[in-house]
């Protein structure tokens, strides 16, 4: 029997027995609540996203530690961004003492989607006890969605004394992935503030034109948070011109090579649904975009700096 079936059986059993032998009114109220919980648990498995969304909302509205395992399990496989977002919210409504151990185990999952969603939820909870779980392996994960989630969690959870080291590690990822991935990394670096300055300056002189272009675009993003697409295009031109005049590092400085800095789709890809999709939360992982990725970084870090540990 699956863990889900066992959980439903437990709740149903409580419903049938009334949970205790107290006054009938109290028993009736408890029975109604448990019946609603059973419906919500079944709803999380429904084939219709709208039903799953309402079910996740119901579970989060009336949190119960017994449901945490099911919420985490469903988060790992849920295909709909909005439902995943609601599942994350539902988890933040439960006690950290219950959710944290379960999520820390999930970041070691062999399933990329499970790692990514668990990291995203940890970034929303904001409990610094999760920091040791944000390993180099996760921050450099070959799966872009896992890496993006790890970057977001890292800048929220990192202790102040380790920010410079984190900035140096994140800088090693400059130039990787498509536009959404590069924008996520730029925002993570910017969220570290002065702690990443030396690493970014070094990357701006890297022999790899993709790294140089991404570093320059990140620097420009500091001054114009809404202008990443333009900044990346400008940085590519600068790198191409420098390489053409012999000033840039590396041997392959043609504009075609520099164009790799923005992925395989040239400027058309950069101006497509990548950055704007991420900013609005409509990217594949989407986790980045809820409430604005950069705003989420700064808000969570502000809470952390003030001593808060998250919900």
């Amino acid at each position: 029997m699956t863990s889900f079936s066992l959980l439903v059986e437990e709740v149903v059993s409580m419903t049938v027995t009334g949970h205790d032998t107290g006054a009938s009114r109290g028993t009736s109220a408890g029975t109604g609540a448990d019946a609603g919980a059973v419906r919500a648990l079944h709803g999380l498995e429904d084939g219709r996203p709208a039903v799953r969304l309402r079910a996740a909302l119901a579970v989060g509205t009336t949190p119960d530690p017994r449901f945490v395992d099911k919420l985490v399990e469903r988060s790992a496989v849920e295909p709909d961004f909005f439902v995943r977002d609601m599942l994350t919210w539902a988890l933040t409504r439960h006690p950290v003492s219950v959710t944290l151990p379960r999520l820390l185990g999930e970041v070691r999952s062999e399933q990329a989607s499970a790692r990514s969603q668990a990291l995203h939820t940890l970034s929303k909870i904001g409990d610094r006890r999760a920091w040791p779980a944000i390993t180099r392996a996760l921050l450099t994960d070959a799966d872009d969605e896992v890496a993006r989630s790890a970057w977001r969690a890292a800048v929220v959870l990192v202790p102040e004394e380790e920010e410079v080291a984190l900035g140096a590690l994140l800088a090693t990822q400059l130039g990787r992935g498509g536009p959404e991935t590069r924008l996520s990394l730029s925002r993570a670096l910017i969220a570290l503030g002065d702690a990443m300055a030396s690493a970014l300056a070094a990357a701006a002189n890297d022999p790899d034109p993709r790294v140089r272009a991404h570093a320059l675009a990140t620097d420009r993003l500091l001054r114009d948070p809404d202008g990443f697409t333009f900044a990346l295009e400008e940085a590519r031109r600068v790198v191409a011109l420098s390489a053409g005049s012999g000033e840039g590092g590396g041997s392959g400085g043609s504009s075609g090579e520099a164009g790799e800095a923005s992925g395989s789709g040239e400027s058309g890809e950069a101006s497509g649904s990548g950055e704007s999709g991420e900013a609005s939360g409509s990217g594949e992982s989407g986790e980045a975009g809820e409430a604005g990725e950069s705003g989420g970084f700064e808000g969570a870090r502000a809470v952390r700096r003030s001593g808060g540990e998250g919900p």
Side-chain angles (χ1 to χ4, degrees), residues 184-278:
S184 286
L185 181 57
S186 292
R187 285 173 167 168
L189 285 165
I190 289 171
L192 289 174
D194 292 341
M196 62 82 182
S198 61
L200 189 64
N205 294 300
D206 194 275
D208 189 331
R210 295 169 300 179
V211 175
R212 294 203 306 277
H214 193 178
L216 290 171
T218 301
D219 183 64
R220 285 165 172 76
L221 187 64
L222 275 166
R223 296 185 289 275
D224 182 10
D226 297 320
F228 185 76
T229 299
F230 174 77
L232 188 56
E233 291 299 314
E234 182 183 3
R236 287 167 51 212
R237 287 192 293 271
V238 169
V239 168
L241 290 171
S242 297
S245 63
E247 297 175 2
S251 59
S254 68
S255 60
E257 182 180 15
E260 293 177 9
S262 67
S264 61
E266 200 49 52
S267 60
E269 180 179 353
S271 61
S273 60
E275 291 85 35
S276 60
E278 181 180 17

Side-chain angles (χ1 to χ4, degrees), residues 47-274:
R48 295 162 293 180
V51 175
R52 299 197 302 275
L53 184 68
R54 290 195 297 271
L57 174 62
V59 173
T61 301
T62 55
D64 187 319
R66 294 173 300 167
F67 302 155
V68 167
D69 281 351
K70 180 56 188 175
L71 288 170
V72 173
E73 290 171 9
R74 185 64 209 176
S75 294
V77 297
E78 174 55 53
D80 185 88
F81 162 71
F82 296 103
V83 179
R84 287 199 306 271
D85 196 34
M86 190 64 75
L87 289 167
T88 292
W89 171 80
L91 282 166
T92 66
R93 295 270 297 161
H94 287 77
V96 174
S97 60
V98 179
T99 57
L100 189 59
R102 185 67 173 82
L103 292 167
L104 292 178
E106 198 76 351
V107 301
R108 297 189 293 270
S109 171
E110 295 183 359
Q111 185 178 353
S113 60
R115 298 196 302 275
S116 176
Q117 193 63 21
L119 287 163
H120 168 61
T121 304
L122 287 172
S123 75
K124 294 299 182 183
I125 292 173
D127 192 300
R128 280 173 284 181
R129 289 174 295 179
W131 166 245
I134 312 302
T135 62
R136 173 182 289 269
L138 289 171
L139 292 167
T140 61
D141 199 289
D143 187 287
D144 283 346
E145 296 304 325
V146 175
R148 290 172 66 197
S149 294
W151 301 336
R152 289 189 294 271
V155 298
V156 171
L157 302 173
V158 61
E160 189 169 1
E161 64 273 16
E162 296 190 45
E163 287 182 348
V164 172
L166 175 60
L169 177 54
L170 292 183
T172 67
Q173 301 302 293
L174 286 165
R176 71 171 281 181
E180 291 183 2
T181 300
R182 283 191 294 276
L183 181 55
S184 286
L185 181 57
S186 292
R187 285 173 167 168
L189 285 165
I190 289 171
L192 289 174
D194 292 341
M196 62 82 182
S198 61
L200 189 64
N205 294 300
D206 194 275
D208 189 331
R210 295 169 300 179
V211 175
R212 294 203 306 277
H214 193 178
L216 290 171
T218 301
D219 183 64
R220 285 165 172 76
L221 187 64
L222 275 166
R223 296 185 289 275
D224 182 10
D226 297 320
F228 185 76
T229 299
F230 174 77
L232 188 56
E233 291 299 314
E234 182 183 3
R236 287 167 51 212
R237 287 192 293 271
V238 169
V239 168
L241 290 171
S242 297
S245 63
E247 297 175 2
S251 59
S254 68
S255 60
E257 182 180 15
E260 293 177 9
S262 67
S264 61
E266 200 49 52
S267 60
E269 180 179 353
S271 61
S273 60

